Each structure stands twice: as C-alpha cells, then as structure tokens.
Amino acid sequence: FSAVVLKLFWIKYPFLLFLNPRMKRGCALNYVLCAVCTATVFLTWEISVLYLHVPPSPRLPPISPRLSHITILLWVHPFGVVAPLPDCWKQFQINGCMITDDKHAYRQVDAVIFHHRDIGNGRARMPTEPRPRSQKWIWLNHESPTNSPGLQQFDRVFNLTMTYRVDSDIYIPYGHLIPVVNGSGSLDQTTSLHRPSRLLAWVVSDWSDSHARVSFYNELKRYVNIDVYGSAGKPLKKGIEAVLELLRDYMFYLAMENSQHTDYITEKLWNAVRAGAIPVVLGPSRQSYERLLPPEAFIHVDDFPTVEELAQYLNKVMQNPDLMKHHLSWRQNYSVHLSTRNELYCDACEVVRRTRGQTSVVPHLKDWFCS
Ligand SMILES: *[C@@H]1O[C@H](CO)[C@@H](O)[C@H](O)[C@H]1NC(C)=O
Ligand SMILES: *[C@@H]1O[C@H](CO)[C@@H](O)[C@H](O)[C@H]1NC(C)=O
Ligand SMILES: *[C@@H]1O[C@H](CO)[C@@H](O)[C@H](O)[C@H]1NC(C)=O
C-alpha cells in the first residue's frame, strides 16, 4: 500500500510542476526538479517491481508440465494401522506423486502397493477385479523370509519388489548414512563425547533358543560380561529414546538379527550407531553391512576365527583409545537417516514413474527372496 501511495505522489508531482504558471516562464530550477521527479518515479517503480511486488520466494508448482502425474494406491495400511498418507511434494519434495488408500481409485492408479503381512494369508485379500493393463503391483516387505509366511503363492503376481534387499526394484533399507559438510549435524555432534563406562549390551525382546543369536550370546558370555535388557533381561523403559539413552553408556552393542538372510539388517544396527556404541553384528555378510557403513564402523562376528578372540578384541578396544578412535572417528562425517513409511511410498512413486511403459514381472518371488 505504501508503495502505491509513493507512486501516486511521485507521478503526480511532475504534472503539478508542469501546470505551475511559473514553469511557462522557464525557470531552470523547475526543469531540474522535474527531471529529478521523473527519474524518481522510474526508480521507485523499478524498485517496487523488483522488491515490493515479487511474491515471496516462488516454490515450484506441485507438478511441472514435463512430469507425468503418478498415483499409487496403498491397498491396506501395514498391519491394518491407518496412518495419514503423505503429501510427497510438501514433505519430501517429490513432484507429481499422489498416494491414496481409496480402493475406488483402483482402476485409475498407476501402481498398487501390497504389504506382505496383510496379504500373506492368500490372494483372497487382493483385488478381485482384473488388473488394468499398465498398472504395476508392488510387493512391500520389511520382514525376513523366516518371518514372511505364504511366499510360495506369489509367483508371477507382482511387477516390482520393495524390500531391504539391495537387488529390489525399490530398495528400502531401514536407514542409511548421509555425509555431512564440515561436521555440522554429524553423529559426533549429536551424541555426547563422554567415554562409555560399560563394555557390551544386548537388548532382546524376542528370545528363542532356535535363534543363532542366542547360541552366539551363550558362547560370548563365557568370555565377556554382557548386560542383557528387554523381556529376556533387565527391564527396559518403553520407547526408542530410552534404548538410545541406555546404549550411550556402552562401548559395544550386540546388533544381532533374529534370522540371517541376504541384506536383512534392521533398526538394531541403527540404534547402536545413533547411540554411539560400536555395533557387533550378527546377520548377513560383512559385504552387506559395508553397503551401509564404513568397514571400521562395526565389528562382524565373522571377523574373528573364534568367539574367544572376538571377546579379547572387545576388551582390547575398551582399553585402547587409538583403537576406539579408529572405530568411531568416521562419525564426524556422517549423520543417520531413518526412512519413514511415508517417505518410502513417495520413493516408490519415483520408481513407478521411471519404469512407466515398461513391463516387468517378478517370476519366482519366493526363490528370489529366500536366495
Ligand atoms: C568448511 O570449513 C573450512 C575451514 O573451517 C572452511 O574454509 C570452508 O569454507 C567450510 N566449508 C563449508 C562448505 O562450509
Ligand atoms: C572427514 O572428512 C574430512 C573432509 O572431507 C576429511 O579430511 C577427514 O579425513 C574425514 N574424517 C574421517 C575420520 O574420515
Ligand atoms: C504385471 O504383472 C502381471 C502378472 O504377471 C503381467 O500380466 C503384467 O503384464 C505386468 N504389467 C506390467 C505393467 O508390467
């Protein structure tokens, strides 16, 4: 508004000058004033166009014309827990993606996501209408083959896979590292630098004597002291923050998966990393872990010929600041990103867009997933 008032004033002023009878008598001062006023009008106009009327930092439109719009239908909310769906643009700056859970949209959507746990009982819980020709069915699974019943029913059903396996069409690890610039926001900054006072912890809620991790634990505890928490050990407060708080006191954490399968690495690893404890891992191969972390960031149970030697090494690190540094200094250059479900849906949308117009079928789901 003030810009408008200013403009009116400066535009009118030169006219008033010209109408001034003294002007006709050719007063030089008036010519100068007039020139100044005219120049000012243009200047203020320019300034107002440049600075005052520019809309605040223009955001890209949600859909740029060159991007095709993709809609994905989430067939059932994972575990039946209905959660708000994302706005992929607002939350993740992923353009032209729409995620819906409205089954009425089935015929129009580009892809449908099926969470394995919610269809694992059979095809009965899947669409009965025929699949539109260009529609892709996406198989979403976070669990390992051991905990994924019913895999054999799904040969030649899905078009894309969405799992923690690196060879999935849509690769969804539980978390990943992000390099940081100049250490700001790094893991080092987010965890206090006090020296942990205790050696080794394990948090376990699902204890089963058939698990490889239980046999490993039974052997390891012969050589080192292990503090066990959770339903099978000392009580633990609820919530991830309580776990992280607890692990901050420890040099090492046993990040052992409930079953050993290709690339199956869960949040247990990331809990240790976030808390600043060095993960001692039992799961897939070292190579698999090295896709997620620098080689020295974790200790793999296969790194040592015997459990006893592994135990000796843990004690050695505890007493040797240089070794400690060797295993922890990478933390100054990385932060951790844990993926949320909503983010994964939006990532899936990008893959659907990229593979649009292509045909693909997952021929042998079980053979692939269990390999
Ligand atoms: C990083 O830190 C160095 C030295 O403190 C400084 O010269 C450089 O500009 C910083 N880089 C960025 C991207 O902040
Ligand atoms: C962290 O990054 C800086 C800059 O790239 C590098 O000089 C330093 O060696 C890195 N530190 C570690 C422990 O990798
Ligand atoms: C998806 O998979 C089905 C079942 O195998 C197949 O008939 C269809 O052609 C595939 N569609 C696309 C778009 O890949």
Side-chain angles (χ1 to χ4, degrees):
F1 174 74
S2 56
V4 171
V5 171
L6 261 177
K7 241 191 273 180
L8 285 179
F9 176 71
W10 285 115
I11 288 170
K12 273 191 182 151
Y13 191 52
F15 280 108
L16 291 178
L17 274 178
F18 273 110
L19 294 177
N20 188 332
R22 278 210 285 164
M23 185 81 184
K24 287 167 195 148
R25 275 178 253 135
C27 173
L29 181 66
N30 269 343
Y31 282 111
V32 172
L33 270 178
C34 190
V36 168
C37 285
T38 318
T40 324
V41 167
F42 277 104
L43 265 179
T44 50
W45 181 73
E46 284 274 277
I47 289 171
S48 66
V49 164
L50 282 180
Y51 298 104
L52 301 175
H53 289 277
V54 176
S57 69
R59 294 185 80 183
L60 288 171
I63 302 166
S64 91
R66 283 188 298 145
L67 280 181
S68 49
H69 200 126
I70 299 288
T71 306
I72 292 192
L73 169 61
L74 181 63
W75 187 250
V76 186
H77 282 265
F79 307 106
V81 180
V82 178
L85 292 172
D87 177 327
C88 294
W89 170 247
K90 276 201 185 132
Q91 286 170 258
F92 311 111
Q93 287 71 54
I94 291 176
N95 224 337
C97 283
M98 157 104 164
I99 316 290
T100 179
D101 54 7
D102 180 2
K103 288 199 172 74
H104 294 110
Y106 174 72
R107 283 191 216 164
Q108 282 90 48
V109 299
D110 301 278
V112 185
I113 293 180
F114 298 95
H115 181 241
H116 182 75
R117 272 301 177 95
D118 299 299
I119 51 157
N121 298 334
R123 298 287 306 277
R125 299 196 59 197
M126 296 178 75
T128 45
E129 270 187 70
R131 178 180 341 194
R133 249 185 47 175
S134 58
Q135 186 180 86
K136 292 207 165 80
W137 284 13
I138 301 172
W139 184 67
L140 167 63
N141 192 11
H142 300 282
E143 297 295 331
S144 77
T146 302
N147 296 304
S148 305
L151 288 169
Q152 67 288 347
Q153 314 165 67
F154 296 112
D155 284 359
R156 303 196 65 80
V157 171
F158 296 102
N159 304 100
L160 299 170
T161 54
M162 182 171 177
T163 81
Y164 56 79
R165 280 184 68 120
V166 75
D167 57 356
S168 304
D169 300 299
I170 303 158
Y171 172 47
I172 50 162
Y174 277 72
H176 63 263
L177 293 183
I178 300 177
V180 298
V181 178
N182 273 1
S184 75
S186 72
L187 282 162
D188 247 7
Q189 284 190 345
T190 51
T191 43
S192 57
L193 292 173
H194 74 272
R195 200 174 147 165
S197 54
R198 297 191 245 178
L199 184 71
L200 178 58
W202 183 28
V203 175
V204 57
S205 52
D206 169 23
W207 176 289
S208 162
D209 288 332
S210 68
H211 286 168
R213 60 186 181 186
V214 169
S215 332
F216 178 81
Y217 162 77
N218 284 332
E219 171 129 32
L220 185 62
K221 76 170 185 212
R222 290 167 53 199
Y223 309 108
V224 289
N225 182 48
I226 306 171
D227 295 340
V228 180
Y229 296 89
S231 62
K234 296 178 200 166
L236 187 64
K237 277 187 241 152
K238 274 216 158 39
I240 183 64
E241 284 311 318
V243 173
L244 296 184
E245 195 54 47
L246 176 81
L247 296 190
R248 283 193 184 109
D249 270 351
Y250 287 88
M251 190 76 234
F252 297 99
Y253 176 65
L254 284 176
M256 308 197 284
E257 301 303 343
N258 59 26
S259 49
Q260 284 64 55
H261 297 282
T262 309
D263 300 337
Y264 183 57
I265 300 169
T266 66
E267 76 289 339
K268 296 171 186 73
L269 176 76
W270 299 112
N271 290 347
V273 167
R274 287 166 73 198
I278 303 166
V280 176
V281 302
L282 172 72
S285 66
R286 169 165 265 282
Q287 192 195 10
S288 235
Y289 283 94
E290 285 186 11
R291 251 186 236 115
L292 300 172
L293 293 178
E296 73 278 14
F298 61 95
I299 291 168
H300 197 287
V301 296
D302 294 345
D303 291 347
F304 298 88
T306 64
V307 175
E308 185 176 8
E309 278 163 277
L310 168 66
Q312 284 164 355
Y313 185 74
L314 300 186
N315 277 319
K316 195 170 151 193
V317 174
M318 192 74 183
Q319 268 127 50
N320 183 332
D322 285 342
L323 270 180
M324 233 181 259
K325 212 173 138 212
H326 166 70
H327 287 296
L328 291 170
S329 64
W330 64 275
R331 298 170 62 83
Q332 72 204 39
N333 286 346
Y334 292 95
S335 67
V336 167
H337 180 79
L338 300 178
S339 314
T340 62
R341 275 226 179 82
N342 277 348
E343 189 179 358
L344 301 181
Y345 299 152
C346 298
D347 289 346
C349 176
E350 295 225 287
V351 176
V352 170
R353 190 203 320 280
R354 213 168 51 230
T355 58
R356 204 175 208 197
Q358 297 168 18
T359 304
S360 59
V361 176
V362 184
H364 308 294
L365 184 75
K366 184 175 182 178
D367 291 352
W368 166 71
F369 196 54
C370 296
S371 65

